Amino acid sequence: MTINTKKVMKNAWRITKDRNLTCLRLRVPGGHLPVKLLPLIQEIAERFGNGEVHLTTRQGFEIPAIPFEHMKEINVLLVPFLEELEVNIGVLLEQPAQGYPAAGTRNVVACIGNKVCTNAVFDTTALAKDIEKIIYPNNPHVKIAVTGCPNDCVKVHMHDIGIIGQVEPLYDAQRCINCQACVKNCAKVSTGALSIVNYKVKRDASRCIGCGECVLKCPTGAWTRGGQYYRVVVMGRTGKKNPRLAAPFLEWAEREAVLRLCNNLYDYIDKHIDCSLPKEHVGYILDRTGYPVFREEMLKGVELGPKAKTANYLDFAGYTYDKKCLFD
Amino acid sequence: MGYRFTAAAFNQLLESLREKYRVYAPTLLKGKGKFSDTDLVGYAEISKIEDVVFNQKSYFSPKETFYPVTQRLFYFNENGFSESVVDEKGMIVFLRACDIQAVERLDKIMLENGPSADYYYERLRNKLKMIVMDCQESFDSCFCVSMGTNKTENYSASVRLENGVYLSDVKEDIEGLFAFHGETIEVSPKFVESNKQSVKVPENLVLESVAANPIWEEYGSRCIACGRCTVVCPSCSCYTMQDIFYDDNPKCGERRRVWASCQIDGFTDMAGGHSFRRNNGERMRFKVMHKIKDFKQRFGVHMCVGCGRCDNACPEYISLAHCIDRLGKEEAENRG
């Protein structure tokens, strides 16, 4: 058998431990799937695979145990899937009948967002789709995730770019009855940004993280929702050498700025990547260029908006897995 | 006298009324819902009849328009005090039959429940004119028919939207403007005659046996004492006083009156740290008994008007209607 493994993998098919079998990886940007596409997954798994499908950590599907010779035929079958989930949201695919044109840039994942969740401050799937439109197809190994609130259920802190919704709470003192539900709750579950002054609530903007808890707790509608903004955390990763949580890069950034930033990431990678490696993870590029270069290039041409702030430094929490120091 | 208005004619009427009145109605407040990207039907000043939401119940009741959440009563300094000034304009409020019945309940507490009327309530209440919005169909949580509050005669005018025109029955024409802008036609307001749910209010509740009922323990384990049920209630009237001394000059300040809630911590706090009804179930019992027993004992009508807003607002899905029914059933069983 002869196959070009690099082409196969770029086409979103895996090289697997079984020499004759591949595995198909399907993207679901934003993690929300019209169920009309499920029968197609079932059909491919039953006709070509082993009747099973794996639900990936990145909210996609992997259909295992497919003989390599069926790749071409299945790529054609996939057209409705790619039309619905990629082309219809504005992703440019030149030849949908040839399957996925790239696999390096991973599926953009999102928590369930304000379609369902009471905490989410915005529609996470909609933003994930807008990001997909900008970053796909692309080869660099990039992981982006979107979450509706600082609870970060989708674990954006393990991503190269993690986007966390923020809402600016608006306070109408006239409607406030001093029940203190917001103050007590903010101190308990959030950051203690609220206090009572003269029976009304004072918000310390330097502490407020825009979680929207005050709005949820307010019985009178004294707290309501203002603009939607985003905290952007960057360069989180798992991996062999130095797993770490993504560090806060921007806060109170506007939607357009976030999208532009995702675009700029690819220019930054292109400029600094170590081409001697088969692939280099962008986090390691940052380790080499340093934060000032990263910040300058990421923010090139970005209108941050009047409320946005940029981090003075990246405060990573992680560890270097130095076995000699740790265990010897 | 009945009148028919096109939208344009009604808007001219509103424009004329707005010279001397502020006109409040339930409107769609975009993005003002508790959850993100959700709206809220709440009271706001209107200038166009198209902005009035007829097909949904307002989340908050109309009481906030003439009985503000926060009301400055007077300002003081070391030499004396001066009364706050109220808006010169009158108020016209669009509201439902049950809401009008609730205004009558508020009047009883604020104007008739003591040796003198509540001055600060009265000075705004005297400015109020009510336009009843017909209820052509009952909303989900309504139980006005059970409470006998589904109809009213107490309004300046009625209004309903029917086949693209607005129909009003006018009992008290405001400055003759309805007659001036409208086209004469026979109109009688429409009120619902049945609700999707009905309750039977037990009329012989005895406090001691009600207090011993284990349902309050259950409700106490569910209720979070947030006070939403009282805040959205059109007949709840409790308030507290706040004296403020200005930061930059503590010799000056103001006294304001602010809504309070029997469900929220601090409501019964007394000197010495004593307080009653610490348990949420006890608080709910107190409220329910006021709504369907104590008020009627004093004033002859139930305080609850069956608008169902408390059911809609409760984040723990506690239903007052269901609670009343449970009390009724237990009473019947005990007697049987």
Side-chain angles (χ1 to χ4, degrees), chain B residues 158-217:
Chain B
S158 74
V159 62
R160 74 167 172 272
L161 175 59
E162 198 171 283
N163 300 323
V165 294
Y166 297 89
L167 301 177
S168 284
D169 172 45
V170 177
K171 289 198 184 294
E172 178 217 2
D173 198 349
I174 302 166
E175 315 256 327
L177 290 167
F178 280 77
F180 182 78
H181 290 284
E183 186 186 311
T184 310
I185 187 178
E186 196 65 36
V187 178
S188 57
K190 289 185 177 173
F191 299 116
V192 291
E193 299 287 350
S194 67
N195 302 124
K196 288 172 195 164
Q197 63 178 343
S198 62
V199 302
K200 175 115 187 49
V201 181
E203 293 292 346
N204 299 300
L205 291 173
V206 179
L207 177 62
E208 288 70 23
S209 60
V210 170
N213 194 320
I215 65 170
W216 307 118
E217 249 173 70

Side-chain angles (χ1 to χ4, degrees), chain A residues 262-321:
Chain A
C262 294
N263 185 62
N264 285 356
L265 179 69
Y266 287 85
D267 295 338
Y268 170 78
I269 294 171
D270 197 44
K271 195 167 166 189
H272 301 287
I273 195 166
D274 179 353
C275 293
S276 70
L277 300 163
K279 66 177 180 186
E280 189 183 32
H281 192 278
V282 60
Y284 295 99
I285 301 177
L286 171 78
D287 294 347
R288 206 164 50 243
T289 69
Y291 177 54
V293 172
F294 172 82
R295 176 169 61 187
E296 191 190 324
E297 296 184 14
M298 287 292 277
L299 296 181
K300 201 172 280 175
V302 176
E303 293 269 356
L304 278 175
K307 291 185 194 293
K309 288 185 173 177
T310 311
N312 298 322
Y313 57 94
L314 294 181
D315 183 18
F316 286 120
Y319 64 91
T320 302
Y321 195 32

Side-chain angles (χ1 to χ4, degrees), chain A residues 114 120 174 198 200 216 225, chain B residues 34 36-37 70 228 256:
Chain A
N114 77 1
Q174 181 70 22
N198 279 341
K200 300 288 182 186
L216 292 173
R225 291 170 188 274
Chain B
K34 177 163 64 159
S36 59
D37 296 336
T70 300
R228 280 181 179 79
R256 39 192 204 214

Side-chain angles (χ1 to χ4, degrees), chain B residues 32-223:
Chain B
K32 291 299 173 190
K34 177 163 64 159
F35 306 121
S36 59
D37 296 336
T38 61
D39 306 325
L40 180 120
V41 180
Y43 273 81
E45 224 182 317
I46 57 150
S47 57
K48 292 207 312 276
I49 190 68
E50 293 91 336
D51 289 342
V52 179
V53 174
F54 283 94
N55 62 358
Q56 291 178 66
K57 190 192 305 185
S58 68
Y59 178 87
F60 292 111
S61 89
K63 76 180 175 191
E64 66 187 48
T65 58
F66 58 93
Y67 176 46
V69 185
T70 300
Q71 189 177 13
R72 277 167 189 79
L73 306 185
F74 53 81
Y75 302 88
F76 54 80
N77 57 31
E78 64 264 57
N79 300 317
F81 71 94
S82 60
E83 189 187 327
S84 63
V85 178
V86 290
D87 194 346
E88 278 182 2
K89 286 189 171 179
M91 276 177 283
I92 294 172
V93 178
F94 284 58
L95 69 185
R96 306 279 176 178
C98 59
D99 294 330
I100 290 177
Q101 300 258 3
V103 174
E104 292 165 7
R105 303 324 191 247
L106 288 176
D107 288 349
K108 289 195 184 302
I109 278 283
M110 304 300 264
L111 303 175
E112 299 167 25
N113 186 41
S116 59
D118 183 305
Y119 173 79
Y120 294 100
Y121 176 83
E122 194 171 35
R123 68 179 185 166
L124 289 177
R125 177 66 180 86
N126 285 342
K127 289 173 168 290
L128 175 66
K129 299 212 179 292
M130 298 188 279
I131 297 190
V132 66
M133 302 164 72
D134 293 19
C135 287
Q136 303 192 65
E137 56 179 327
S138 179
F139 301 113
D140 273 347
S141 58
C142 298
F143 55 102
C144 54
V145 176
S146 301
M147 302 310 294
T149 52
N150 52 320
K151 295 177 184 177
T152 181
E153 294 275 318
N154 180 10
Y155 54 84
S156 298
S158 74
V159 62
R160 74 167 172 272
L161 175 59
E162 198 171 283
N163 300 323
V165 294
Y166 297 89
L167 301 177
S168 284
D169 172 45
V170 177
K171 289 198 184 294
E172 178 217 2
D173 198 349
I174 302 166
E175 315 256 327
L177 290 167
F178 280 77
F180 182 78
H181 290 284
E183 186 186 311
T184 310
I185 187 178
E186 196 65 36
V187 178
S188 57
K190 289 185 177 173
F191 299 116
V192 291
E193 299 287 350
S194 67
N195 302 124
K196 288 172 195 164
Q197 63 178 343
S198 62
V199 302
K200 175 115 187 49
V201 181
E203 293 292 346
N204 299 300
L205 291 173
V206 179
L207 177 62
E208 288 70 23
S209 60
V210 170
N213 194 320
I215 65 170
W216 307 118
E217 249 173 70
E218 185 223 303
Y219 283 125
S221 72
R222 294 167 63 193
C223 172

Side-chain angles (χ1 to χ4, degrees), chain A residues 185-234:
Chain A
N185 182 64
C186 187
K188 271 191 184 152
V189 310
S190 198
T191 60
L194 305 178
S195 58
I196 296 286
V197 177
N198 279 341
Y199 305 101
K200 300 288 182 186
V201 182
K202 206 173 170 95
R203 167 177 167 257
D204 179 352
S206 69
R207 295 188 84 92
C208 175
I209 59 168
C211 63
E213 282 282 346
C214 47
V215 183
L216 292 173
K217 288 291 176 285
C218 182
T220 63
W223 285 110
T224 55
R225 291 170 188 274
Q228 288 174 1
Y229 300 91
Y230 307 90
R231 168 153 59 114
V232 179
V233 296
V234 294

